[in-house]
Amino acid sequence: NAGVMQNPRHLVRRRGQEARLRCSPMKGHSHVYWYRQLPEEGLKFMVYLQKENIIDESGMPKERFSAEFPKEGPSILRIQQVVRGDSAAYFCASSPRMVSDEQYFGPGTRLTVT
Amino acid sequence: SQQGEEDPQALSIQEGENATMNCSYKTSINNLQWYRQNSGRGLVHLILIRSNEREKHSGRLRVTLDTSKKSSSLLITASRAADTASYFCASPTDKLIFGTGTRLQVFP
C-alpha cells in the first residue's frame, strides 16, 4: 500500500506564475488535508477536502489559492500569481475517516518563488 | 490561532539520556496526537492518546495526558542520534491543529 504521494517534490516559479501541487492519498482514504510550513515553524492548516467537496477551507488565503479533490485523480492545490511569500513547504495528508483520526503525510512539495 | 504549544522550543541531549517535551492546548479534545518530522521530510505519526487515557506507551515513547491542565508530555527514553528531529503535538477540533514544535538534537 503506497503512502501519500506528492509531486513535484520541488517547484520553482517566478513571481506571477501559477503553481500546481498534486497529492494522491493513500489507497482507501477519502479525506485529504493540505498544510503549509514556513521555515522553523509548525504546520498551518489550509484546507480539508473529501471527494468532490471542500469541507473546511478556513486556512486558505482568500485570493489566489484554490484546492480541489475530484472524483477521479489526485487532489490539486493551485496558487495563482505566486509571490515570494508563497515560498514554503506544502504538505498533504490523508486519513480514512474523520479529521480526528491519525493522518498520513506525504513528503511535501517545496515551492520556491524567485 | 495556535491550538498547541510545545515546550521547550529546542532541546539538545546526549545519546542514552531521556528527552521530555511538553504540549499545552487550548480547547477540549477527544484525542491528542504526537508527530515527528525529520529535516526536510513529511510528518510521521507517533502516537495517539484519547481523552479518557492518562498514559500510553509505544516502544521507547511514553505519552501522558492531563485534560484538567490541558497538557500532554512526550518522553523518549534512552535517546539515539536517530531521534534527532522536530516533534509536534496536534489536537483535532474541527481540524487538526499543530503546535510550533520542539527541535530535538541527540548527540552521539
Side-chain angles (χ1 to χ4, degrees), chain A residues 5-18:
Chain A
M5 299 176 70
Q6 289 187 250
N7 68 82
R9 293 293 305 276
H10 299 272
L11 181 62
V12 180
R13 283 286 180 264
R14 292 195 177 90
R15 278 179 297 171
Q17 291 184 318
E18 178 180 287

Side-chain angles (χ1 to χ4, degrees), chain A residues 37 45 56 58 100 103 110, chain B residues 31 33 35 37 40 43 95:
Chain A
Q37 186 178 35
F45 169 82
D56 184 343
S58 58
S100 62
Q103 297 184 8
R110 302 202 177 283
Chain B
N31 70 63
Q33 303 172 30
Y35 289 80
Q37 183 180 34
L43 273 71
K95 57 181 73 69

Side-chain angles (χ1 to χ4, degrees), chain B residues 5-20:
Chain B
E5 295 287 341
E6 287 91 342
D7 170 64
Q9 288 188 321
L11 181 61
S12 295
I13 57 175
Q14 294 290 134
E15 259 190 335
E17 294 180 337
N18 296 341
T20 300

